[in-house]
Amino acid sequence: MTVIFTVDSFTRELFKGNPAGVCTSFQDVPTSPKLDKLFQNIATEMNISETAFITRANDSSSTGRYFLQWFTPTNEVDLCGHATLATAHILFEQFLQNSSIDELIFETKKVGELKVKKCDQEGRLEMDFPQGEPQPIELNAKIMDEIKSKLNVTQQVLATQLCRRTKKLVIELSALNDDIKPQESLTEIRFDSSIQPFIRGIILTSKSANTTEDFISRYFAPWNGILEDPVTGSAHTVLAVYWSQLLNKSLLRGYQKSDRGGHVECELDQKNKRVLLRGHAITVLQGQMNISRDSFSYDKTM
């Protein structure tokens, strides 16, 4: 049987934050194209924004190291924050509860090593991620009007930036209200050919109207099969850089204003070009899929 968990990330409450699937059943074998196909099928069956899978690390000389992959219902993605948080939460809670290990290292295909550690007595975890690199970009009026129409945006657009590495378009608005609605038809927009390959998600953001958070946001990624992601760690690697420049501070509190909602604390490490993301997670369920590991061939000695 294949064991799978569901975890709500960036929240202390059940049914809030962003749900992620976590599969730990293959942590003692190396990744492979054949397993990738299985992982995609499992993620499609789970049908939540991302499902994470851990396999044996390439460097297995020390404990607390794993190889980590993330799949949406339609495709594998380069980086996923909330599913990384969920994976670390499950490992600490279910597998390392009696261990002295307080930091995990995840090897990845595209973004190098990611570190996650216990960071305080409140149970929060801290993720060490690559810093986003948003740059100012000017969209022509027709394209901006199309985006605003599809998302039902009526607020004033204050700025636009693009992070080519994470493929996220940032649009700062004068405010975020509840009239904004996700639309699959965003994928029909024909951006200029020079930026079209670098847009796989749109972040709407504004300065917070209260003192609890510094900024608020919403994130839409139908290009990855996700109409709206409830709370997005990878988006905050971009938002942290964007709002740090505007607010002239390195420690920021973000709130993603989806229906479920979630809080992400961000701290910029400018020297190393990293962003530290902190948040809670809570296990929702543990179950088994009727998939036998013996049905798949892999070399345990690799």
Side-chain angles (χ1 to χ4, degrees):
M1 296 294 182
T2 297
V3 177
I4 199 151
F5 301 85
T6 299
V7 175
D8 287 343
S9 295
F10 296 116
T11 182
R12 283 175 154 178
E13 299 179 60
L14 290 172
F15 315 125
K16 297 290 186 180
N18 199 351
V22 178
C23 181
T24 59
S25 290
F26 300 90
Q27 61 182 285
D28 60 334
V29 298
T31 188
S32 69
K34 189 169 186 178
L35 278 180
D36 284 356
K37 292 179 181 178
L38 172 63
F39 294 166
Q40 184 60 73
N41 286 335
I42 292 174
T44 302
E45 186 73 15
M46 291 292 289
N47 198 32
I48 52 181
S49 54
E50 270 93 5
T51 300
F53 300 85
I54 53 170
T55 49
R56 195 176 70 204
N58 293 318
D59 177 5
S60 56
S61 58
S62 61
T63 56
R65 293 184 69 99
Y66 306 87
F67 192 87
L68 178 60
Q69 294 172 258
W70 312 270
F71 291 79
T72 77
T74 61
N75 58 275
E76 186 174 5
V77 294
D78 294 345
L79 176 66
C80 178
H82 83 280
T84 302
L85 182 66
T87 302
H89 168 77
I90 288 298
L91 287 170
F92 281 130
E93 180 184 78
Q94 301 288 331
F95 296 91
L96 302 170
Q97 64 270 41
N98 297 318
S99 170
S100 61
I101 294 173
D102 61 4
E103 181 177 79
L104 304 173
I105 299 175
F106 295 114
E107 299 172 4
T108 70
K109 287 184 178 179
K110 298 289 183 66
V111 293
E113 291 185 350
L114 305 176
K115 296 180 180 180
V116 185
K117 68 178 182 180
K118 300 176 181 178
C119 67
D120 57 33
Q121 297 301 314
E122 297 178 1
R124 290 191 307 168
L125 299 179
E126 176 185 280
M127 301 185 290
D128 183 340
F129 274 20
Q131 181 176 293
E133 299 172 344
Q135 299 294 327
I137 189 172
E138 192 168 329
L139 299 178
N140 68 53
K142 181 180 178 182
I143 292 294
M144 183 56 72
D145 286 344
E146 194 173 357
I147 294 172
K148 292 176 68 176
S149 175
K150 289 183 182 297
L151 291 174
N152 198 34
V153 172
T154 58
Q155 298 78 22
Q156 180 185 1
V157 174
L158 302 181
T160 54
Q161 294 199 2
L162 177 64
C163 181
R164 285 176 166 81
R165 184 177 58 76
T166 62
K167 300 180 180 179
K168 290 174 172 51
L169 177 66
V170 180
I171 301 175
E172 183 190 351
L173 302 175
S174 56
L176 285 183
N177 65 30
D178 296 334
D179 294 333
I180 296 170
K181 302 297 181 186
Q183 291 292 337
E184 187 173 359
S185 60
L186 283 173
T187 59
E188 299 171 0
I189 298 175
R190 300 273 71 87
F191 294 94
D192 185 272
S193 60
S194 64
I195 62 171
Q196 183 80 47
F198 300 102
I199 297 177
R200 300 283 290 178
I202 294 178
I203 304 170
L204 301 182
T205 187
S206 72
K207 186 176 179 179
S208 177
N210 60 53
T211 58
T212 306
E213 295 91 24
D214 295 295
F215 63 87
I216 58 177
S217 65
R218 292 178 67 178
Y219 181 61
F220 309 93
W223 295 270
N224 285 322
I226 305 165
L227 289 185
E228 179 172 9
D229 201 28
V231 195
T232 316
S234 61
H236 281 78
T237 67
V238 180
L239 287 164
V241 176
Y242 181 82
W243 284 106
S244 176
Q245 295 169 348
L246 287 180
L247 302 177
N248 193 30
K249 57 195 299 188
S250 59
L251 182 63
L252 301 116
R253 294 163 298 177
Y255 178 71
Q256 196 153 330
K257 194 182 176 184
S258 63
D259 287 341
R260 293 173 65 100
H263 298 269
V264 185
E265 184 178 271
C266 315
E267 184 172 0
L268 279 181
D269 178 0
Q270 292 283 22
K271 180 181 178 181
N272 297 303
K273 301 297 182 183
R274 309 290 288 184
V275 176
L276 306 178
L277 303 177
R278 303 184 183 103
H280 292 93
I282 183 170
T283 304
V284 179
L285 68 84
Q286 175 181 350
Q288 292 183 332
M289 285 188 162
N290 291 324
I291 301 170
S292 172
R293 282 183 21 143
D294 296 336
S295 303
F296 298 88
S297 59
Y298 34 75
D299 184 358
K300 292 186 178 182
T301 65
M302 287 178 64

